[in-house]
């Protein structure tokens, strides 16, 4: 009898949570990179699309940048698990497992997985002052300037970092380029445009506008095949086509809550995420930036977690093989 009363009380508590969440208290989405970069962009557009299905609650973006996304992720892992603090992170959620000797959280057990948001190709881009105009020109320029170039990234564990180390390993550059870390590719892009750094490999969500405006030079895309459906990027070769055997890198973003967030709240957040992923405005914005919004089983918590688990296993040997370029 006592057990029944306890069970009934627990179900009532869950029901009450579902009725009262989110209430009037704002939801904070922690972005583990600087404002003005690609993760920030996805988060702001997603927040706009998730507001309505969550009863027009305000959703605040908090940029908690540093250490390739691990500072923001640590913050959310330790946050109150009431559904009001969420994390929007990308492939760094998986690559950081291999790149960091000691994370302050367990990637697979300290978070509730809410769903994958999108997949985003990357582009290899250079400062506008570079004399090279094609990938082949750029290869020759690198050979002639071995050891003199700077490559920007957004911290150990960032997407730019992962792509940069994979690319340097693939071209087997005799002398590794000097890596210049930033808190996000927002500030890194500013330095690239200004000519303080030479090259960066960054997501199309951040580079599309800059390529279109001629503020940076694009040389190649990181997907296995060229992006034939993308009006702006369709004519750029893939790195694989340029002879970099097996090169294939796509960035993804996912939404997380701290472990222990009540199941009813998680269900509401996942339902709101699914509505947002079908929102015509959100789809239009993502498409315009070369991103593909997720529609497969990864939009469910179990599919999301299985995918990240597989990505951790896939990236570990890639990162280990490219180890000498990883600083
Ligand atoms: C950012 O938002 O600054 C980026 O996603 C950083 C990166 O991982 O390259």
């Amino acid at each position: 009898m006592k057990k029944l009363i306890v069970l009934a009380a627990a179900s009532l508590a869950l029901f009450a949570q579902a009725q009262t969440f989110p209430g009037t208290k704002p939801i904070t989405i922690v972005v583990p990179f600087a404002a003005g970069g690609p993760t920030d962009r996805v988060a702001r557009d997603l927040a706009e699309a998730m507001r309505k299905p969550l009863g027009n609650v305000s959703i605040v973006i908090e940029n908690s940048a540093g250490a390739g996304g691990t500072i923001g992720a640590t913050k959310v892992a330790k946050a109150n698990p009431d559904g009001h603090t969420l994390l929007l992170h990308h492939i760094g959620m998986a690559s950081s497992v291999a790149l960091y000797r000691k994370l302050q959280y367990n990637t697979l057990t300290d978070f509730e997985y809410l769903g994958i948001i999108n997949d985003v190709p990357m582009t290899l881009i250079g400062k506008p002052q570079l004399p090279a105009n094609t990938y082949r020109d750029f290869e020759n320029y690198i050979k002639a300037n071995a050891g003199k170039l700077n490559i920007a990234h957004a911290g150990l564990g960032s997407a730019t970092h992962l792509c940069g180390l994979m690319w340097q390993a693939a071209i087997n550059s005799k002398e590794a380029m000097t890596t210049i870390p930033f808190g996000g590719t927002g500030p890194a892009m500013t330095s690239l445009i200004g000519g303080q750094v030479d090259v960066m490999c960054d997501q199309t969500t951040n580079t599309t506008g800059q390529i279109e405006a001629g503020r940076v030079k694009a040389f190649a895309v990181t997907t296995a095949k060229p992006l034939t459906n993308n009006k702006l990027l369709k004519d750029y070769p893939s790195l694989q086509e340029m002879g970099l055997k097996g090169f294939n890198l796509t960035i993804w973003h996912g939404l997380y809550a701290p472990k222990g967030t009540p199941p009813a709240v998680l269900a509401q957040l996942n339902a709101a995420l699914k509505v947002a992923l079908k929102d015509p405005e959100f789809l239009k914005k993502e498409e315009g930036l070369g991103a593909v919004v997720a529609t497969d089983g990864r939009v469910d918590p179990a599919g999301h977690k299985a995918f990240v688990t597989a990505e951790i296993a896939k990236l570990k040997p890639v990162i280990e093989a490219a180890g000498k370029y990883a600083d």
Side-chain angles (χ1 to χ4, degrees), residues 33-34 37-40 90 122 154 157-161 183-186 202-203 253:
F33 294 102
T39 319
D40 184 65
H90 62 22
M122 298 186 94
S158 62
T160 34
H161 171 252
T185 47
D202 195 12
Q203 299 167 69
H253 295 83

Side-chain angles (χ1 to χ4, degrees), residues 80-131:
N80 185 11
D82 61 357
H84 287 278
T85 308
L86 307 177
L87 170 71
L88 193 151
H89 202 346
H90 62 22
I91 194 169
M93 194 75 179
S95 61
S96 54
V97 176
L99 282 163
Y100 282 81
R101 220 165 290 144
K102 195 161 163 27
L103 289 171
Q104 301 300 307
Y105 53 84
N106 183 307
T107 305
L108 293 174
T109 56
D110 286 345
F111 297 93
E112 305 287 354
Y113 285 63
L114 286 165
I116 287 285
I117 301 159
N118 63 9
D119 293 295
V120 190
M122 298 186 94
T123 44
L124 186 73
I125 53 174
K127 64 180 182 184
Q129 299 82 357
L130 282 177

